[in-house]
Amino acid sequence: MKYRKPWYNLRLRLVAWYSLLAGLSMLVSDGFMYLRFRQTLFDQIDNALEVTTIQALKNLDDEVDALMFDPRQEAPALASLLNDAGVEIYLLAQDGSLKEYFGDSLTLPTQQGLQPGFKTLVTENGRWRLYTQEILPRADRPPGWLTVARSLQPVDITLQNLLNQHLLKVPLLLGMVGLGGLFLANRALKPIGQITRIAEQVSVSGDLTQRIRYQGTTDDELERLATMFDEMLDSLQATFEHKKRFTADASHELRTPLTTLKGRLHVALSQPRTAEIYQETLQGIEQEVDRLIRLSSDLLLLSRLEQQHQDMHLELIDLSDLLAAIAEQIQPLADLQQLQFSTHIPSDLQIQGSPDHLIRLFLNLLDNAVKHTSAQGKVQLRAMVQGHCIQINVSDTGIGISPKHLPHLFERFYRVEKSRSRTIGGTGLGLAIAQEIVHRHHGAIAVQSQPGHGTTFTVTFPKYNHR
Ligand code: ADP
């Protein structure tokens, strides 16, 4: 099966967004600079045109009755104004007819709608900027117009060069930004690639021992994602191994009584027997079958408890009544074993619980206590309120449990003395079931024991809160 690599697409998308944003910001900032620069150039030209106009007006001859420049001043003053290439001066009569002209080639049409102010003209010689001012009559001098023009060609060339440079620079910079973005995206998404590879390996090979073990520089999002992924694999591996062990243990536990049964049947059938022997054999077989039934129902209960998780239906129950009823059930057993059985149960202890499961839990604990305590010993069932919790102790003065067994006591099929426990009839699932029931009630179970002196199991439940 071919796997798509979403992180790969994500990388490309990141680079595309990164380049797009960089391109847009370049466009905005360069565009702004270009427009500002262009405006400055035009402002400079307009200023120069105004200054030239003022100078040229000063050169008008006031002493004649015609519109003309003062021939005495014209040469040095106007020549200096015209030094700047591309500047032309038009002196026009009021009807627009040309009176005098200074410039290179008389390129502009002069009579086009004469109006004071600035104007931009497009001619075959390129664009021109014009400034026209009205000449008022003075003494004998008639009115007219003065137009100063300047070619925009140098400005247009400068602006075009700037634009060309910008157009060249943008793809170059975008390329660099793209490469930088790719490098950054690669660095940032490296752990995602690792996670994907490991997820692929896990799903293809089913090998749950793989881990990412990502070491980021800071506690960033990707490190947290990688850590979560590793933790998920930890818990998957633990669950998987737990199930595997459980299945192997369960098969082993089922095989032992079946092999015994088969052996007994084989011996009984190997030759004709008396009726008594057949009866004895059948009684033995019945015992083994009972064990098998107990084992399979314990297995079923355990797997149901595991599947229920949080969904177990809990109802408000009076724990005091429930414990008293269980004590009544245990009393005959204790009497049979010649044990002193005592209880201390305050009234009105209320918890949220499942009565059937709680009966099973305390019967298991009390049954174990009775089974492992010899005659004249004591078994006690005590309940008490401890802050927001209710604590129930099941203690005995029996054989006790060695400290090396205590950490494993709640494991499935764990028996302290395998052969002895089997003869007593335990399935090795009693305490595992007890622990599962306690956890489903949001409680805790613990054990304390001293070999030769006795054992105490302590169960703690949250107290029911009246609101
Ligand atoms: P079983 O069903 O075989 O009794 P459990 O899970 O109930 O299995 O108990 C596991 C082991 O813990 C038993 O094999 C037993 O040896 C030991 N055990 C349980 N309760 C006591 C007790 N009160 N005193 C001594 N040993 C105990």
Side-chain angles (χ1 to χ4, degrees):
M1 184 177 163
K2 182 98 183 80
Y3 289 91
R4 273 186 70 223
K5 294 182 173 155
W7 58 270
Y8 185 76
N9 295 337
L10 180 63
R11 191 171 59 164
L12 285 186
R13 261 185 291 158
L14 275 178
V15 172
W17 273 107
Y18 189 58
S19 308
L20 186 76
L21 288 178
L24 273 177
S25 61
M26 249 186 263
L27 202 76
V28 170
S29 75
D30 284 9
F32 179 73
M33 296 253 293
Y34 175 84
L35 290 177
R36 285 287 311 217
F37 183 61
R38 186 172 175 273
Q39 190 58 46
T40 309
L41 289 181
F42 272 87
D43 286 351
Q44 276 175 0
I45 286 173
D46 287 355
N47 281 343
L49 285 176
E50 266 178 329
V51 170
T52 311
T53 306
I54 292 166
Q55 294 294 333
L57 284 173
K58 279 187 193 158
N59 280 279
L60 282 180
D61 195 341
D62 290 340
E63 292 166 16
V64 288
D65 58 356
L67 196 58
M68 59 184 285
F69 288 113
D70 187 342
R72 287 158 297 174
Q73 290 188 22
E74 164 214 321
L78 285 180
S80 75
L81 289 177
L82 297 175
N83 263 347
D84 208 354
V87 174
E88 299 188 346
I89 298 175
Y90 296 83
L91 186 61
L92 306 162
Q94 198 163 29
D95 62 356
S97 58
L98 187 65
K99 289 289 176 197
E100 278 196 65
Y101 162 74
F102 293 93
D104 277 346
S105 49
L106 195 64
T107 42
L108 298 182
T110 49
Q111 281 168 318
Q112 278 187 4
L114 279 166
Q115 256 180 4
F118 290 102
K119 193 153 86 173
T120 304
L121 262 189
V122 181
T123 70
E124 12 176 272
N125 292 333
R127 299 193 316 140
W128 287 77
R129 187 76 173 156
L130 267 62
Y131 180 63
T132 304
Q133 188 159 337
E134 202 174 355
I135 301 170
L136 298 173
R138 180 184 289 182
D140 293 334
R141 193 186 69 193
W145 299 93
L146 179 73
T147 296
V148 180
R150 185 172 170 158
S151 168
L152 286 177
Q153 203 179 19
V155 173
D156 284 344
I157 290 173
T158 308
L159 289 176
Q160 190 58 50
N161 282 344
L162 195 71
L163 207 67
N164 289 348
Q165 277 171 19
H166 178 73
L167 288 178
L168 252 170
K169 183 188 81 175
V170 166
L172 224 104
L173 277 180
L174 274 185
M176 279 164 65
V177 163
L179 282 176
L182 198 64
F183 171 73
L184 287 179
N186 268 340
R187 246 177 86 96
L189 298 178
K190 200 171 151 210
I192 293 195
Q194 253 172 296
I195 294 175
T196 315
R197 256 196 318 284
I198 299 225
E200 277 176 7
Q201 280 169 18
V202 168
S203 86
V204 171
S205 67
D207 177 10
L208 289 170
T209 59
Q210 305 267 3
R211 294 293 178 276
I212 298 167
R213 292 189 228 291
Y214 173 70
Q215 296 281 312
T217 42
T218 48
D219 180 25
D220 57 18
E221 286 84 349
L222 288 176
E223 181 169 0
R224 262 176 279 148
L225 174 68
T227 313
M228 290 286 296
F229 191 79
D230 278 352
E231 282 173 6
M232 189 188 77
L233 282 176
D234 283 346
S235 104
L236 272 178
Q237 191 184 2
T239 313
F240 181 69
E241 271 163 17
H242 173 83
K243 293 252 184 266
K244 221 165 67 178
R245 223 179 21 246
F246 182 55
T247 315
D249 288 349
S251 328
H252 176 75
E253 289 293 326
L254 285 166
R255 231 180 59 174
T256 314
L258 285 172
T259 315
T260 315
L261 275 177
K262 173 82 182 155
R264 282 181 177 237
L265 284 169
H266 184 73
V267 172
L269 293 172
S270 60
Q271 53 178 288
R273 310 270 179 190
T274 61
E276 288 83 48
I277 295 205
Y278 279 132
Q279 194 174 5
E280 206 180 294
T281 309
L282 284 175
Q283 276 167 352
I285 287 174
E286 192 183 18
Q287 269 180 17
E288 286 300 329
V289 170
D290 282 347
R291 238 185 74 72
L292 270 173
I293 291 173
R294 263 201 316 278
L295 180 61
S296 53
S297 60
D298 277 2
L299 279 173
L300 193 66
L301 175 62
L302 201 55
S303 86
R304 275 194 190 141
L305 280 170
E306 273 185 343
Q307 274 163 25
Q308 270 170 336
H309 292 288
Q310 259 81 32
D311 319 312
M312 183 188 266
H313 173 68
L314 302 180
E315 57 192 83
L316 179 62
I317 53 171
D318 189 322
L319 190 65
S320 309
D321 288 353
L322 188 113
L323 289 176
I326 294 170
E328 254 178 59
Q329 237 178 296
I330 285 294
Q331 188 66 56
L333 261 179
D335 292 345
L336 204 71
Q337 297 263 104
Q338 298 171 346
L339 300 175
Q340 282 182 40
F341 177 53
S342 62
T343 60
H344 174 80
I345 307 166
S347 58
D348 253 355
L349 298 178
Q350 291 191 321
I351 63 164
Q352 291 273 16
S354 153
D356 290 348
H357 289 106
L358 289 174
I359 290 172
R360 176 70 198 253
L361 161 70
F362 291 112
L363 274 182
N364 263 358
L365 296 180
L366 285 165
D367 188 48
N368 274 346
V370 169
K371 266 196 304 198
H372 296 98
T373 307
S374 44
Q376 314 313 321
K378 288 183 192 158
V379 172
Q380 225 182 16
L381 172 66
R382 289 170 62 84
M384 66 205 85
V385 176
Q386 294 262 322
H388 293 292
C389 301
I390 293 175
Q391 206 179 69
I392 305 106
N393 292 331
V394 176
S395 51
D396 63 63
T397 57
I399 55 168
I401 305 160
S402 141
K404 71 171 185 207
H405 295 297
L406 289 179
H408 307 286
L409 214 60
F410 297 99
E411 288 172 12
R412 285 111 213 262
F413 303 116
Y414 192 83
R415 297 186 187 92
V416 173
E417 280 174 70
K418 315 239 179 265
S419 53
R420 201 176 65 83
S421 294
R422 261 207 192 108
T423 50
I424 293 177
T427 58
L429 288 175
L431 288 179
I433 290 174
Q435 188 183 47
E436 209 59 55
I437 292 174
V438 171
H439 287 170
R440 294 289 154 263
H441 284 77
H442 315 293
I445 184 166
V447 59
Q448 275 181 320
S449 187
Q450 249 191 314
H453 288 89
T455 307
T456 301
F457 282 91
T458 306
V459 176
T460 314
F461 289 129
K463 204 166 78 176
Y464 177 70
N465 206 355
H466 299 269
R467 274 191 212 151

